[in-house]
Each structure stands twice: as structure tokens, then as C-alpha cells.
């Protein structure tokens, strides 16, 4: 008769590595430290992997081109944009056409406040800075793509560190 296996005693101080080991070939990830959802003590941290392939703001933060406050400001800008956005609603072609159609939903207080914050940001940034912020945070363009679009032979670092409104958004966020 086989002996039963004995389990090793549980050590809550032992750290578990929960990072994925099966990354795709074209994965672009960065290690970030986040709060441990299974932590026994408040404030416990673990290292996880964050995808930065389609996240220019995350890429700038990972490469230390912007600090934590600027990163959080950029995420707040993206959140306000999503709240304020009122895109076209889907049209159901199977339903009978009625003059007037549906009434639009009223603007909520959260949407109104988000629009006010976005308008303030646009005023502070100016035309060029606002366009740059929109290209990075909303369109998801990298600094290289912005340079190509603006026919600029500059590298990503020089676009960020320019003395004019190109760097104003970094300081404002």
C-alpha cells in the first residue's frame, strides 16, 4: 500500500511568482509592481507584467520618460475623454423607420464635469500641445509615429524635450 504524501507546511512569508511564462513572440511587456490581491498585510506588493504594445502612455512610463504623476494625469485625461465622448448610436435596420427617432440621452453631471476638465486642459496646452496629447492619449500614437506624421526628423526624446508646447503636456499632466 502506498504512503500518503505529506504536504509541506504553509509559509505565508514565501513570495509567489505569478508572472506568465508563456508570452507570445511579439509580446511587448514591462514588469510593474502592484498591490497584492492575495496579500495578508495591507500594502503588500507583487511584480506583474503589463502589456505596452498598444499603450504609448504605458510605454513612456515604463521607459521613465514620464513620472508617476504624469502617468496618472494621462490616465485621468483618457478617462475624461471616454466619459465625455458621445459617439453615434447604432442604427437597427430591421426596425421600422420613424420620423424623429429616439431621443438622445440627457448629458449626465459626470459628462459635463469631464468636458469642463477637457476644455481647461485644451486651453492650458494650446493648439500644438493639445494636438500632441490627443495623438498620444486618444489615438494611441507613439512618438515615432507622431514625428513621421509631422514630417519631423526628430527622435522620440527630442519631441518630448522640446522647449515649446511639445513638452508642455508632459509638465501639465
Amino acid at each position: 500500500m502506498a504512503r500518503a504524501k505529506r504536504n509541506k507546511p504553509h509559509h505565508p512569508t514565501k513570495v509567489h511568482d505569478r508572472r506568465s511564462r508563456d508570452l507570445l513572440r511579439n509580446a511587448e511587456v514591462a514588469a510593474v509592481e502592484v498591490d497584492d490581491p492575495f496579500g495578508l498585510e495591507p500594502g503588500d506588493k507583487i511584480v506583474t507584467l503589463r502589456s505596452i504594445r498598444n499603450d504609448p502612455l504605458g510605454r513612456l512610463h515604463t521607459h521613465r520618460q514620464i513620472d508617476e504623476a504624469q502617468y496618472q494625469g494621462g490616465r485621468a485625461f483618457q478617462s475624461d475623454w471616454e466619459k465625455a465622448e458621445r459617439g453615434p448610436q447604432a442604427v437597427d435596420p430591421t426596425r421600422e423607420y420613424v420620423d424623429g427617432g429616439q431621443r438622445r440621452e440627457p448629458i449626465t453631471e459626470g459628462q459635463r464635469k469631464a468636458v469642463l476638465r477637457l476644455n481647461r486642459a485644451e486651453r492650458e496646452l494650446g493648439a500644438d500641445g493639445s494636438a500632441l496629447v490627443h495623438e498620444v492619449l486618444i489615438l494611441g500614437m507613439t512618438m515615432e509615429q507622431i514625428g513621421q506624421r509631422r514630417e519631423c526628423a526628430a527622435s522620440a526624446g527630442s519631441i518630448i524635450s522640446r522647449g515649446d508646447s511639445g513638452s508642455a503636456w508632459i509638465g501639465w499632466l
Side-chain angles (χ1 to χ4, degrees), residues 15-29:
V15 178
H16 297 285
D17 186 8
R18 297 186 187 109
R19 290 181 284 181
S20 176
R21 302 226 189 281
D22 55 347
L23 295 175
L24 297 174
R25 195 176 1 209
N26 61 348
E28 294 179 29
V29 296

Side-chain angles (χ1 to χ4, degrees), residues 33-163:
E33 192 173 277
V34 297
D35 291 329
D36 187 359
F38 302 115
L40 299 176
E41 297 292 323
D44 285 348
K45 302 283 187 182
I46 59 171
V47 176
T48 61
L49 296 178
R50 167 177 70 182
S51 176
I52 59 172
R53 184 172 59 190
N54 294 324
D55 185 14
L57 186 64
R59 179 183 303 279
L60 290 171
H61 185 248
T62 299
H63 293 297
R64 307 268 193 267
Q65 293 176 334
I66 60 174
D67 62 13
E68 183 66 25
Q70 294 165 334
Y71 174 75
Q72 293 300 330
R75 290 292 184 226
F77 186 93
Q78 288 174 330
S79 175
D80 283 345
W81 183 269
E82 290 173 3
K83 288 177 190 171
E85 191 175 42
R86 292 178 57 111
Q89 295 180 350
V91 177
D92 187 2
T94 61
R95 294 185 61 180
E96 184 177 335
Y97 175 77
V98 179
D99 287 337
Q102 294 180 339
R103 300 169 91 196
R104 290 196 68 151
E105 294 180 13
I107 296 174
T108 64
E109 187 65 21
Q111 287 174 326
R112 190 182 71 76
K113 288 180 179 179
V115 167
L116 291 175
R117 286 189 297 266
L118 290 172
N119 288 340
R120 179 175 170 258
E122 188 174 353
R123 263 193 326 272
E124 293 281 334
L125 295 171
D128 193 36
S130 181
L132 184 62
V133 167
H134 185 79
E135 289 169 342
V136 172
L137 299 180
I138 306 307
L139 300 178
M141 296 174 69
T142 63
M143 291 299 172
E144 290 80 13
Q145 291 170 330
I146 293 170
Q148 290 171 354
R149 183 175 185 180
R150 294 179 179 208
E151 297 175 355
C152 196
S155 66
S158 64
I159 291 175
I160 291 175
S161 63
R162 272 191 347 205

